[in-house]
Amino acid sequence: MYKILHLFRISVSTEDFIRLVQDHFTQDLHDFWIYGDRKIGNSSINVSQYRNVKYIRNIEDKLKSGEIYEYDKIIYHGVFEQDIIDFFFWNRRLLKKLDLFFWGGDKFLYGDNIQIYKKKSVVNNAHAVINIIPEERQFMKKNYAVRGRFLCAQYGPHTIVRQCDLVTKQPRDKKEYTAIQIGNSATSTNAHIGIMEKLVKFREEDIKIFLPLSYGDTGYADKVIKTGKNLFGEKFVGMTDFMKADEYYQFMNQMDIAIFGIKRQQALGNIFALLYLGKKVFLKEHTIVQHYIKHICHCNVWDINGIADMTYQEFISFGEDQVFNNMKNMGQIMQIESVVKSWDTIFRNT
């Protein structure tokens, strides 16, 4: 029987994807080896409820056990761990059935020359490379010499629709200020400080700035919080406590504007949700995310650099027709049917 193995580090997407496979594909064809720190990822996963899911305490030892050779296809989700990359480098017979699903930051090359060489070798010779959005293909072609197929898929945009629909049924808090979200994590790629400096001219207006900083670099988070308080005082809120998924969607529903200074693929779940919830979103122009949202999803988004020339009224204004367009188009993009179709293509691609 044709069998597919998923190597999947624990993350906020792990259980959503497991459920997607259980609900829409033949369970007996898929096994999951999940690994990583449960305290960092989604610790609520109850592995015992899935007969085809195993939590692996030492993934390196499990790979060396030889069981992996029994599978017809291997999908490695999140190409981060050097130990796993090394395993495939030394077990090259597996590359012809290995699909690599890049999450974003894992497509960059880090480490010494030997580590970079090994990663390039594995990526170049893998059966397929999977990206979240098609715009990332250009980066892969520029930095690797991929011989396998290029494919695209996403984990669970349909779950975003479900969560958003739930929070929109609840009343929004009454507030007398414009709520602005900047970024989604405590990473410098969010360019928090540069964005806040662009917003300083509005600090006398009725605004409140929220920065989700619950995961990432704590040292960077401290620096950002100090800067935010100096610039905006009580109008600044640095959010360092982790929120459950439903709480975070409620938070996003309270926002009016969201600004993401990202240059690479990052924070798509946040951006999808905010557009579907009818929020005004600013992105950095000429980036792969901005191109995808504007030209593939056909949504209205604004350029961060344009804030410098905006009045406050121009900054906060968002027409009803623009809101409706974004909600409609994002709703179509995130349909379960398109998600299932993408993964069906990957699972059948031998």
Side-chain angles (χ1 to χ4, degrees), residues 251-262:
F251 156 74
M252 287 192 288
N253 195 39
Q254 298 298 325
M255 296 298 103
D256 300 295
I257 294 171
I259 308 175
F260 296 90
I262 52 175

Side-chain angles (χ1 to χ4, degrees), residues 161 164-165 271-278 326-327 330-331 334:
V161 173
C164 289
D165 288 344
I271 295 168
F272 282 4
L274 289 157
L275 290 168
Y276 184 68
L277 289 167
N326 287 1
M327 295 174 68
M330 287 313 307
M334 296 189 290

Side-chain angles (χ1 to χ4, degrees), residues 64 95 97-98 111 200 246:
K64 292 178 179 178
L95 295 180
K97 47 183 164 181
L98 175 65
V200 165
D246 57 341

Side-chain angles (χ1 to χ4, degrees), residues 127-131 136-137 140-141 146 148-152:
H127 171 259
V129 167
I130 308 167
N131 292 118
E136 292 182 288
R137 183 178 299 183
M140 301 304 296
K141 286 184 175 180
V146 177
R149 291 193 63 185
F150 282 103
L151 301 166
C152 284

Side-chain angles (χ1 to χ4, degrees), residues 79-80 85 102 104-111 116 119 136 139-140 143-144 189 263-265 288:
V79 191
F80 291 99
I85 293 167
F102 285 86
D106 49 343
K107 68 177 181 280
F108 297 102
L109 291 164
Y110 300 105
I116 291 173
K119 184 166 185 176
E136 292 182 288
F139 178 94
M140 301 304 296
N143 292 275
Y144 296 90
T189 51
K263 294 181 180 179
R264 62 176 174 83
Q265 188 277 110
I288 61 172

Side-chain angles (χ1 to χ4, degrees), residues 291-306:
H291 183 275
Y292 178 73
I293 296 297
K294 190 172 182 178
H295 299 287
I296 305 300
C297 301
H298 303 292
C299 287
N300 299 292
V301 289
W302 281 258
D303 175 25
I304 289 175
N305 290 330

Side-chain angles (χ1 to χ4, degrees), residues 22 37 49 80 100 157 161 229 239 255 287 297 320 327:
Q22 312 290 47
D37 190 344
Q49 68 180 309
F80 291 99
L100 301 170
V161 173
K229 287 181 177 178
M239 304 163 60
M255 296 298 103
T287 60
C297 301
E320 289 185 8
M327 295 174 68

